[in-house]
């Protein structure tokens, strides 16, 4: 039986062994996937698999099994590769049929392109990046048992190539940006390349060497993000994946330097003969970056992530039984501690702290036509402009949630930052934007940074995009000739001095009861006072509260309806349908925050009291911008 070291360190040996049985076992490809799935399920063996997120690339063994926690940033067109090929061994003058799946480079001799055993297969390539905005505390490294040592002894074998191989490689791209091409992109995949190109190639219009040496753009959605990025090769069911999906991919790592050499040779050849390539230099950079910077990962198995909190089991949202039942009873006490902590952060304002908790556990749980149900965008107004308050508030939120991003809404950022992803047809990639975020990301919009000035066309588009995100939980990606709508599930918190110029589901005006002489020193001390174990309790609490299923009994529904009629009896204008909808949202989130999966009469009364207190603070601003108060 293969040991752990066999199937993690040498997974291709397992693949080749099952491929050797292909004559007697036609469904060997399914058995490969089943084999690794079963291995990864046993006794947390997945924790033994090294992670690209936590281990430097040069420490990982080429062609070993690794995992990568990522977001799908772009999707390429399908590409062709040689799933089965025949090699001529000149030393023994024999032929051998080999498997080309999960590989980028042929090995073992010279390919016989005229062999009848050759099988052309198809695969999809995803360009994947680490989940944008992951907090520093959000590291899975502590749960990993993988042991790795620097892989400095690896020396790739360079093989002579036939004319057909050179011909195919000459069409291969070189550095990266991200995009999609199709059949001819199979050349990037191999050595294991098609014997002939799949399409007639057109001249390359830009062969300037200066383009070839330009810096590598990893196309991360958020500024300042670090790698690694990865080209994930998908062999089956790629239609089940969507753009912006969070995945944990288990696959075979490919970092053969020959991939970069192939790109260089392809480009040099195209300079000599422009008819050799139909891809632009920009597109070549997208499809074939240096493997040392953007490794290839041949997917064996991918697990969709409903959350990226390392403190919780991955199936917490799918199985509300075992794990959730064990922690639901503790939620109420943790909530009380978190409320105290956030009250201190918000300078003694316990009402604002209540609503901040409701906001942090909000989640789009369903969509009714175009209306996203469960979103709860909070506008915290009354925040001082000339103090570090909003910066420290964001640091607190960053400590509590797995992924977040603070967008300072300065005039410069609004007019210059690309927020909406845009298709670049020259490089054939999707240019990422600030709003290309994974589900459950906390987006902190700091409107206190907005100064007087004129928004240009870009600024207006960005403000419109933020409004659509808040109202409809969608972002319209720019494909030049049309827009494509992508649904999302992003928690938006807006801090402002007065009421925000953006829409919101709820506005709470900050009323501090504390006035520390040194605000920055006070806020820093409040944060430092929270020990890591306490913060971990809050992190688990917020994720679990979002995962609880919620229902309302017929009895409570009837009581709410009667109460609504009663409230409108004296003054029909005092309670609109929108007011009732928001009140029901508050009641739902309030119940969940206490670990209750259904609404009680006490919960309904508590929600009414909270809303009455909140509205009493800003009565004069009701219905501004056509939004709820």
């Amino acid at each position: 039986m293969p040991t752990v070291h066999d199937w993690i360190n040498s997974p291709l040996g397992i693949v080749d062994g099952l491929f050797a049985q292909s004559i007697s076992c036609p469904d060997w490809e399914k058995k490969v996937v089943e084999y690794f799935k079963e291995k990864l399920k046993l006794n947390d063996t997945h924790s033994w698999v090294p992670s690209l997120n936590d281990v430097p690339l040069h420490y990982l063994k080429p062609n070993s099994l690794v995992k990568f926690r990522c977001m799908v940033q772009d999707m390429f067109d399908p590409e062709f590769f040689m799933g089965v090929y025949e090699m001529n061994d000149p030393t023994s003058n024999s032929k051998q049929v080999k498997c080309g799946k999960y590989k980028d480079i042929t090995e073992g001799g010279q390919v016989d392109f005229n062999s009848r055993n050759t099988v052309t297969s198809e695969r999809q390539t995803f360009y994947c990046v680490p989940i944008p905005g992951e907090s520093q505390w959000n590291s899975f490294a502590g749960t990993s048992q993988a042991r790795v040592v620097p892989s400095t002894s690896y020396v790739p074998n360079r093989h002579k190539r036939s004319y057909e191989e050179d011909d195919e490689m000459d069409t291969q791209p070189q550095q990266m940006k991200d995009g999609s091409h199709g059949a001819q992109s199979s050349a990037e995949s191999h050595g294991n390349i098609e014997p002939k190109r799949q399409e007639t190639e057109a001249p390359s219009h830009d062969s300037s060497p200066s383009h070839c040496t330009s810096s590598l753009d990893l196309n991360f959605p958020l500024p300042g993000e670090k790698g690694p990025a990865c080209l994930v090769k998908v062999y089956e069911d790629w239609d089940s994946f969507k753009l912006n999906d969070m995945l944990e991919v288990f696959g075979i790592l490919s970092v053969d330097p020959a991939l970069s050499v192939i790109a260089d040779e392809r480009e040099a050849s195209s300079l000599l003969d422009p008819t050799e390539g139909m891809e632009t230099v920009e597109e070549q950079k997208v499809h074939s970056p240096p493997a040392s910077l953007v490794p290839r990962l041949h997917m064996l198995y991918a697990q969709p992530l409903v959350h990226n909190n390392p403190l919780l089991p991955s199936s917490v949202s799918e199985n509300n039984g075992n794990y959730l039942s064990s922690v639901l009873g503790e939620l109420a006490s943790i909530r009380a501690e978190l409320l105290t902590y956030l009250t201190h952060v918000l300078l003694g304002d316990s009402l604002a702290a209540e609503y901040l908790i409701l906001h942090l556990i909000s989640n789009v749980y369903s969509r009714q036509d175009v209306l996203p149900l469960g979103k709860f965008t909070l506008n915290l107004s009354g925040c001082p402009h000339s103090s570090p308050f909003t910066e420290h508030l964001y640091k607190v939120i960053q400590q509590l949630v797995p992924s977040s991003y603070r967008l300072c809404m300065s005039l410069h950022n609004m007019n210059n930052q690309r927020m909406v992803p845009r298709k670049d047809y020259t490089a054939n990639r999707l240019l990422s934007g600030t709003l290309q975020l994974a589900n459950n990301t906390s987006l902190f919009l700091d409107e206190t940074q907005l100064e007087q000035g004129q928004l240009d066309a870009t600024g207006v588009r960005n403000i419109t995009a933020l409004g659509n995100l808040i109202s409809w939980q969608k972002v319209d990606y720019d494909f030049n000739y049309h827009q494509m709508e992508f649904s999302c599930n992003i928690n938006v918190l807006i801090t402002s001095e007065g009421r925000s110029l953006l829409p919101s589901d709820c506005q709470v005006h900050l009323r501090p009861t504390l006035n520390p002489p040194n605000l920055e020193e006070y806020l820093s001390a409040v944060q430092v006072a929270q020990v890591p174990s306490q913060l971990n309790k809050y992190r688990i609490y917020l994720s679990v509260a979002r995962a609880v299923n919620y229902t309302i009994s017929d009895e409570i529904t009837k009581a709410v309806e009667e109460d609504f009629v009663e409230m409108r009896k004296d003054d029909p204008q005092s309670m609109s349908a929108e007011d009732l909808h928001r009140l029901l949202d508050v009641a739902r989130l309030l119940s969940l925050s206490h670990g209750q999966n259904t609404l009680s009469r006490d919960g309904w009364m508590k929600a009414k009291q909270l809303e009455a207190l909140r509205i009493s603070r800003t009565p004069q601003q009701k219905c501004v911008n056509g939004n709820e108060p």
Side-chain angles (χ1 to χ4, degrees), residues 78-99:
E79 64 182 29
F80 296 105
F81 70 100
M82 290 192 339
V84 178
Y85 61 94
E86 192 169 63
M87 303 294 296
N88 293 319
D89 188 347
T91 57
S92 62
N93 197 25
S94 61
K95 294 187 175 182
Q96 185 177 7
V97 176
K98 291 202 169 188
C99 171

Side-chain angles (χ1 to χ4, degrees), residues 220-232:
F220 294 133
L222 300 179
E225 293 276 280
K226 297 182 180 180
C230 193
L231 289 176
V232 177

Side-chain angles (χ1 to χ4, degrees), residues 67-203:
K67 59 188 175 184
F68 184 37
R69 191 177 66 260
C70 59
M71 183 188 81
V72 180
Q73 192 275 323
D74 200 0
M75 296 179 167
F76 296 9
D77 287 341
E79 64 182 29
F80 296 105
F81 70 100
M82 290 192 339
V84 178
Y85 61 94
E86 192 169 63
M87 303 294 296
N88 293 319
D89 188 347
T91 57
S92 62
N93 197 25
S94 61
K95 294 187 175 182
Q96 185 177 7
V97 176
K98 291 202 169 188
C99 171
K101 198 171 182 180
Y102 308 117
K103 300 174 184 176
D104 285 309
I105 304 295
T106 56
E107 50 191 27
Q110 188 170 358
V111 179
D112 180 2
F113 291 108
N114 298 317
S115 171
R116 294 183 178 181
N117 292 319
T118 300
V119 176
T120 301
S121 301
E122 189 179 24
R123 63 189 175 197
Q124 177 83 36
T125 302
F126 296 162
Y127 183 62
C128 296
V129 297
I131 297 171
E134 281 200 329
S135 303
Q136 290 185 353
W137 66 265
N138 186 6
S139 171
F140 286 68
T143 63
S144 174
Q145 302 179 58
R147 297 176 183 177
V148 291
V149 294
S151 179
T152 56
S153 59
Y154 172 66
V155 179
N157 292 320
R158 295 289 292 122
H159 305 292
K160 292 183 179 180
R161 295 184 302 275
S162 66
Y163 167 79
E164 289 87 349
E165 287 179 281
D166 285 325
D167 183 48
E168 189 63 28
M169 291 171 184
D170 288 342
T171 66
Q172 237 348 60
Q174 171 197 0
Q175 275 188 315
M176 151 121 333
K177 291 184 183 165
D178 198 7
S180 47
H181 194 63
Q184 53 275 44
S185 68
S186 65
E188 184 268 321
S189 58
H190 292 241
N192 290 11
I193 32 190
E194 286 268 79
K196 301 293 182 183
R197 279 191 294 279
Q198 302 299 315
E199 298 179 11
T200 303
E201 300 183 6

Side-chain angles (χ1 to χ4, degrees), residues 427-487:
N428 205 3
R429 68 163 173 177
L430 183 66
L431 291 168
S432 60
T434 305
L435 299 185
Q436 188 177 11
L437 300 171
N439 285 345
N440 304 328
T441 302
S442 288
L443 180 60
F444 187 102
L445 300 180
D446 193 349
E447 201 175 296
T448 66
Q449 304 296 311
L450 187 59
E451 64 270 30
Q452 288 186 347
Q454 185 69 38
L455 288 173
D456 61 16
T458 299
V460 171
R461 284 196 299 270
N462 284 336
I463 291 293
T464 301
L466 289 172
N468 288 336
L469 167 65
I470 291 167
S471 298
W472 311 109
Q473 284 293 304
K474 67 165 188 170
V475 179
D476 294 323
Y477 289 18
D478 181 6
F479 282 76
N480 291 0
Y481 308 106
H482 68 282
Q483 291 187 328
M484 188 174 295
E485 178 181 306
F486 285 86
S487 298

Side-chain angles (χ1 to χ4, degrees), residues 165-427:
E165 287 179 281
D166 285 325
D167 183 48
E168 189 63 28
M169 291 171 184
D170 288 342
T171 66
Q172 237 348 60
Q174 171 197 0
Q175 275 188 315
M176 151 121 333
K177 291 184 183 165
D178 198 7
S180 47
H181 194 63
Q184 53 275 44
S185 68
S186 65
E188 184 268 321
S189 58
H190 292 241
N192 290 11
I193 32 190
E194 286 268 79
K196 301 293 182 183
R197 279 191 294 279
Q198 302 299 315
E199 298 179 11
T200 303
E201 300 183 6
S204 172
H205 297 291
D206 189 353
S207 58
S208 169
S210 63
H211 289 275
C212 310
T213 57
S214 61
S215 61
L216 189 67
D217 178 9
L218 295 179
N219 204 24
F220 294 133
L222 300 179
E225 293 276 280
K226 297 182 180 180
C230 193
L231 289 176
V232 177
K233 309 285 185 175
V234 186
Y235 291 87
E236 59 181 16
D237 298 329
W238 53 71
D239 289 338
S240 63
F241 301 102
K242 304 188 300 298
L243 204 65
N244 305 330
D245 276 356
M246 286 193 300
L247 304 174
E248 185 166 41
V249 179
F250 292 86
I252 299 174
L253 177 67
S254 175
V255 290
D256 198 315
L259 294 171
S260 302
V261 175
I262 288 171
D264 294 339
E265 292 178 352
R266 285 167 47 82
E267 182 197 341
S269 177
S270 66
L271 293 177
L272 295 173
D273 184 359
T275 62
E276 285 298 318
M278 66 176 290
E279 294 174 327
T280 63
V281 173
E282 290 83 358
E283 190 169 350
Q284 290 178 7
K285 293 176 183 179
V286 164
H287 286 282
S288 186
S292 58
L293 296 177
V294 182
R296 281 62 166 167
L297 188 59
H298 295 266
M299 180 189 293
L300 288 164
Y301 167 65
Q303 177 179 342
L305 297 177
V306 291
H307 69 83
N308 59 321
N309 187 336
L311 303 174
L312 274 68
S314 58
S315 60
V316 62
S317 293
E318 301 167 6
N319 178 7
N320 289 348
N322 299 334
Y323 181 79
L324 289 182
S325 60
S326 66
V327 297
L328 280 179
E330 303 176 14
L331 292 192
S333 61
I334 299 175
R335 183 193 193 281
E337 297 170 1
L338 178 59
L339 180 63
T340 301
Y341 173 46
L342 294 180
T343 299
H344 286 305
V345 171
L346 295 171
L347 306 177
D349 191 341
S350 60
L351 180 67
E354 287 273 7
Y355 276 91
L356 184 54
I357 290 176
L358 303 188
H359 161 76
L360 290 173
I361 66 170
S362 62
N363 181 45
V364 177
Y365 61 87
S366 179
R367 290 182 184 266
Q368 193 173 74
D369 296 326
V370 297
L371 184 65
L373 303 180
K375 73 182 183 74
F376 196 69
T377 298
L378 177 63
N379 173 207
L380 190 62
S381 60
C383 298
H385 168 71
S386 58
S387 79
F389 175 74
T390 55
E391 182 180 349
H392 280 271
L393 177 58
Y394 172 66
K395 288 180 180 178
V396 168
I397 291 175
Q398 200 175 26
Q399 282 188 323
L400 298 176
V401 300
S403 303
S404 62
Y405 178 63
R406 178 187 177 216
L407 175 58
C408 294
M409 294 179 61
S410 64
L411 198 63
H412 179 270
N413 282 347
M414 291 297 99
N415 287 339
N416 292 279
Q417 195 163 341
R418 185 173 64 240
M419 296 188 187
V420 174
R422 176 174 63 84
K423 181 71 174 183
D424 178 356
Y425 288 96
T426 302

